[in-house]
Structures are given as structure tokens and as C-alpha cells.
């Protein structure tokens, strides 16, 4: 694999099966894909064309039926690959009672960052995102979280 490929899929297929192992959906068939370092890449396709299934395989949440998926040249389920991965899901699951700064420190801790380094990066990041002035506010009150709460209430 070329060193600069961050994501690499070769001959990837995914067939979902039911309890009796009968195929229920052929979600992805014969997918080859290379995303190089620095690329901005989008998956576009009609509903049910296999975009989410492909992302889940790249994240290592599900395994392909056939073919190989490599993330930074590693199996996506490898800890070293996951430590370098960022993923923003459609619905966020941030803890509503943690403040912005506690949230960032929490995830920094999970990714194995040392406390002092985490604190420095947290301040840098919140500054860059123009969130420094609300860093002691709980994230449950931030706009996206509000939107998710009201969407669920409907
Ligand atoms: N867990 C599952 N079990 C069975 N079939 C599934 C499962 N997940 C997805 N599928 C099927 O696989 C196909 C691809 O679905 P997928 O969710 O990957 O499409 P998508 O491109 O993300 O669609 P959308 O634009 O609606 O988000 C569909 O036919 C879907 O019904
Ligand atoms: Mg989808």
C-alpha cells in the first residue's frame, strides 16, 4: 500500500444476512477506493446505495463479507488506527452535563493523551473554534444538542 493512502479498500463487498444466514441485502459490491493524505473525499449516492455501510466498514464497526479495508495501512479495528481517527456522527452523543472543556478533556483522555498535553490542546482547539468564551457552559445547551432533543421529542 502506498504510504500516503489514508483509506484503502480493495474488492470490498458486504452482504447482510438474517439469523438463518440467508442474504437479505447486498449493500456493497466490488468497491475499490483510495483516499490519500490531505484529500477531501465525499460519498454521494441514492438512498440505500451503501454509503453508511461503507463508512461503517472503514470505521471497523462491521466487517466486509469480502475484500480488504485498510486505515493508515492497518486493520480499522486496530487500536493504533482508531487513535488517529475522527468521526462526527449524524446524531451526537455528547454528555449534556459536561462543559465544553470537560468534553474535550474527556475525549482526549479516551484517546490516551496525557493530562497536561490535553489541557494545552483543549485551550488551543476551543480558541480556534471560537468557543473559548463558552468553555465552562454545558454542551447540552449548545444549538446542535438542542436541535437533537427537540427532534427526539417529536
Ligand atoms: N444492518 C442491516 N441489515 C440488513 N440490511 C441492511 C443493514 N444495513 C443496511 N442494509 C441494507 O443495505 C443497503 C445499503 O444501505 P446503506 O444504509 O448503506 O445505504 P445508504 O447509502 O447509507 O442510504 P441512505 O442514503 O438512506 O443513508 C440497503 O439496501 C439497506 O437496506
Ligand atoms: Mg446512510
Amino acid at each position: 500500500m502506498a504510504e500516503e493512502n489514508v483509506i484503502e479498500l480493495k474488492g470490498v463487498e458486504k452482504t447482510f444476512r438474517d439469523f438463518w444466514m440467508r442474504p437479505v441485502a447486498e449493500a456493497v459490491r466490488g468497491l475499490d477506493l483510495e483516499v490519500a493524505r490531505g484529500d477531501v473525499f465525499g460519498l454521494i449516492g441514492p438512498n440505500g446505495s451503501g454509503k453508511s455501510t461503507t463508512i461503517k466498514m472503514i470505521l471497523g464497526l462491521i466487517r466486509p463479507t469480502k475484500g480488504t479495508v485498510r486505515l493508515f495501512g492497518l486493520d480499522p479495528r486496530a487500536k493504533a488506527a482508531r487513535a488517529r481517527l475522527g468521526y462526527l456522527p449524524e446524531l451526537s452523543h455528547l454528555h449534556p452535563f459536561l462543559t465544553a472543556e470537560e468534553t474535550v478533556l474527556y475525549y482526549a483522555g479516551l484517546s490516551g493523551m496525557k493530562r497536561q498535553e490535553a489541557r494545552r490542546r483543549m485551550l488551543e482547539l476551543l480558541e480556534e473554534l471560537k468557543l473559548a468564551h463558552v468553555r465552562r457552559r454545558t454542551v447540552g445547551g449548545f444549538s446542535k444538542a438542542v436541535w437533537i432533543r427537540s427532534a427526539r421529542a417529536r
Side-chain angles (χ1 to χ4, degrees):
M1 161 175 164
E3 183 61 36
E4 63 274 16
N5 276 342
V6 168
I7 298 170
E8 196 168 288
L9 274 66
K10 275 199 193 123
V12 168
E13 300 190 10
K14 180 69 188 182
T15 301
F16 289 102
R17 295 175 186 277
D18 67 11
F19 180 76
W20 294 275
M21 296 306 283
R22 294 177 304 202
V24 287
E26 191 187 23
V28 176
R29 187 199 304 149
L31 178 61
D32 297 313
L33 181 68
E34 288 183 7
V35 181
R37 172 190 279 264
D39 277 0
V40 175
F41 190 92
L43 279 177
I44 302 174
N47 296 134
S49 58
K51 303 179 298 293
S52 293
T53 303
T54 301
I55 298 286
K56 285 176 194 164
M57 289 190 285
I58 295 170
L59 294 172
L61 299 176
I62 58 172
R63 291 190 208 213
T65 313
K66 242 192 205 168
T68 55
V69 179
R70 285 285 171 266
L71 190 62
F72 307 109
L74 302 165
D75 183 316
R77 285 166 303 156
K79 217 174 156 188
R82 289 193 164 165
R84 297 177 63 185
L85 183 77
Y87 172 62
L88 179 68
E90 212 165 300
L91 296 178
S92 86
H93 293 281
L94 302 178
H95 196 295
F97 300 116
L98 291 186
T99 64
E101 81 175 26
E102 285 165 344
T103 302
V104 179
L105 290 174
Y106 173 66
Y107 283 102
L110 285 183
S111 77
M113 204 180 272
K114 296 262 183 299
R115 187 87 195 161
Q116 211 176 347
E117 163 79 348
R119 203 153 174 90
R120 191 183 59 75
R121 282 288 293 134
M122 177 274 290
L123 292 169
E124 239 173 50
L125 200 68
L126 292 183
E127 200 70 57
E128 195 177 324
L129 297 173
K130 309 271 182 275
L131 286 172
H133 63 296
V134 288
R135 69 192 171 95
R136 301 238 156 81
R137 202 188 284 173
T138 53
V139 298
F142 286 10
S143 60
K144 173 93 178 174
V146 169
W147 179 81
I148 290 165
R149 268 211 307 272
S150 57
R152 279 193 187 135
R154 271 201 291 273

